[in-house]
Amino acid sequence: MVNQKTLTKDVGFTHEDFAALLDKYDYHFSPGDIVAGTVFSIEPRGALIDIGAKTAAYIPIQEMSINRVDSPEEVLQSNETREFFILTDENEDGQLTLSIRRIEYMRAWERVRQLQAEDATVRSQVFATNRGGALVRIEGLRGFIPGSHISTRKPKEELVGEELPLKFLEVDEDRNRLVLSHRRALVERKMNRLEVGEVVVGNVRGIKPYGAFIDIGGVSGLLHISEISHEHIDTPHSVFNVNDEVKVMIIDLDAERGRISLSTKQLEPEPGDMVRNPQLVYEKAEEMAAKYREQLRAKQQAQQQAEAAQADAETAVESVEEEEIPSAVEE
């Protein structure tokens, strides 16, 4: 016959023993960890999540998505298992606070860094404007387009709801800055159809002391004062008026900075013609541009030949040096 008292004593398991066992096998969770969790209770403004801790973790509705959420059911379903970010340490009740939004932010920043590295063009709809520019969303992140990088004649307020092509100017997660350029995207697209030495027709859209801005097919190029004429001029106003139609030649395309440099000086049949008789310059523009392109090709060929000769000379020197090196093993 088994002694009941002895059995109880041998297999006794107190509440303290059970708590100690839980502590022994309990995982230690820290803010910043990403863990798997299962939704087991959805509440009006949040949800309880089982992540294997002694107490269910909680995710408030504002941490459920990078976008606005009105109801937890828009994001979570009961018994669904997914990843969660541990946002805060345990409170006085031993409960952790979780976030999905932080995971989405991390992945969004990773994605925009990749897009910037690829020099990709993205499209996004303007959802608001302010005094400095316009606001868009890229991968859920709020991006800013400075007014100087918006290339349109519309007032900024009328851009709300319009989708724009954009290039990345700055992606800085540490400073929480995502800056984009509409102008660069348009210039790049236009540049793909333009060449240095090409003559284009444009309109004067603005005049500054340092030059004139010329609209060429929806993008702006700079005709610097030093590229207006071989003859010295004090101000671009002495040659141009706003809205003048002009012929200019492209002398540089800087896709990285989104800039197009223009010239009328290179189109002058004689130095100073742009000041005295601009119409003659426009009539002879194609002829002078052809000469410019020919000179440019000759210059490039000469440079390539010089580089090839230099490479040959360096190779010859290396060969001589190799011949002079004695064997490392004496015979």
Side-chain angles (χ1 to χ4, degrees):
M1 182 173 178
V2 179
N3 188 318
Q4 186 66 36
K5 290 183 178 180
T6 303
L7 181 62
T8 304
K9 183 178 179 181
D10 290 343
V11 299
F13 201 66
T14 67
H15 177 75
E16 288 75 14
D17 293 333
F18 183 67
L21 187 63
L22 280 178
D23 287 336
K24 181 179 178 180
Y25 292 101
D26 188 26
Y27 292 104
H28 294 284
F29 300 102
S30 302
D33 289 349
I34 294 177
V35 297
T38 302
V39 181
F40 74 85
S41 177
I42 295 179
E43 301 180 351
R45 303 300 297 170
L48 293 173
I49 313 296
D50 179 10
I51 61 170
K54 287 185 291 184
T55 304
Y58 182 73
I59 179 168
I61 192 170
Q62 63 268 24
E63 289 295 331
M64 289 186 180
S65 176
I66 202 170
N67 301 309
R68 177 184 171 86
V69 175
D70 295 318
S71 169
E73 285 83 0
E74 294 176 25
V75 179
L76 300 175
Q77 296 179 350
S78 293
N79 299 318
E80 173 189 7
T81 299
R82 61 179 299 163
E83 287 184 325
F84 295 90
F85 180 93
I86 298 180
L87 191 62
T88 66
D89 216 334
E90 294 179 352
N91 60 17
E92 60 274 12
D93 297 322
Q95 189 173 64
L96 295 162
T97 301
L98 306 180
S99 174
I100 297 170
R101 187 169 69 102
R102 289 298 181 92
I103 294 176
E104 291 180 344
Y105 270 127
M106 290 162 58
R107 290 175 179 165
W109 279 111
E110 183 180 347
R111 176 61 178 152
V112 295
R113 280 193 295 269
Q114 180 183 354
L115 290 169
Q116 183 191 38
E118 295 170 356
D119 195 28
T121 298
V122 296
R123 299 188 68 87
S124 185
Q125 192 176 87
V126 176
F127 70 86
T129 61
N130 57 28
R131 290 178 58 188
L135 300 174
V136 294
R137 294 200 185 278
I138 307 294
E139 298 291 326
L141 300 172
R142 185 171 65 179
F144 177 64
I145 313 170
S148 60
H149 279 269
I150 297 174
S151 188
T152 178
R153 300 188 188 120
K154 291 183 179 180
K156 288 197 301 288
E157 296 74 20
E158 294 183 15
L159 288 174
V160 175
E162 186 169 333
E163 189 178 73
L164 302 177
L166 302 164
K167 302 290 285 187
F168 292 94
L169 290 180
E170 183 180 355
V171 176
D172 191 334
E173 182 178 1
D174 293 336
R175 298 171 63 197
N176 200 26
R177 287 168 61 93
L178 180 59
V179 186
L180 304 112
S181 174
H182 175 229
R183 178 169 60 84
R184 261 198 65 193
L186 291 185
V187 169
E188 183 182 86
R189 186 166 63 188
K190 185 70 176 178
M191 281 182 179
N192 291 334
R193 301 193 295 269
L194 297 174
E195 294 181 4
V196 171
E198 182 179 354
V199 174
V200 292
V201 177
N203 295 92
V204 178
R205 292 302 177 203
I207 299 176
K208 301 291 184 182
Y210 53 83
F213 288 96
I214 313 297
D215 183 289
I216 49 174
V219 296
S220 182
L222 175 63
L223 175 57
H224 193 270
I225 190 170
S226 63
E227 284 295 333
I228 293 176
S229 176
H230 286 88
E231 189 170 296
H232 174 75
I233 60 174
D234 295 322
T235 171
H237 284 283
S238 63
V239 182
F240 302 112
N241 294 307
V242 173
N243 294 325
D244 280 356
E245 186 175 272
V246 296
K247 272 189 178 181
V248 291
M249 185 176 71
I250 298 167
I251 57 172
D252 188 54
L253 295 168
D254 188 341
E256 185 175 342
R257 299 169 70 185
R259 294 182 180 178
I260 301 174
S261 299
L262 308 170
S263 177
T264 50
K265 178 170 77 173
Q266 305 299 332
L267 299 178
E268 289 183 320
E270 296 293 335
D273 279 347
M274 196 63 205
V275 177
R276 294 185 295 271
N277 188 0
Q279 194 57 42
L280 175 64
V281 176
Y282 300 153
E283 290 173 1
K284 297 278 188 178
E286 296 293 350
E287 180 183 334
M288 297 303 296
K291 292 181 180 179
Y292 177 87
R293 291 192 294 270
E294 187 177 336
Q295 293 170 355
L296 188 63
R297 280 194 294 270
K299 184 178 179 180
Q300 290 171 342
Q301 288 174 358
Q303 184 176 353
Q304 290 170 357
Q305 290 171 355
E307 290 173 353
Q310 178 67 23
D312 290 342
E314 290 174 355
T315 301
V317 170
E318 289 173 0
S319 298
V320 170
E321 290 177 348
E322 288 176 2
E323 290 173 1
E324 294 175 351
I325 299 174
S327 174
V329 179
E330 294 184 9
E331 297 180 0

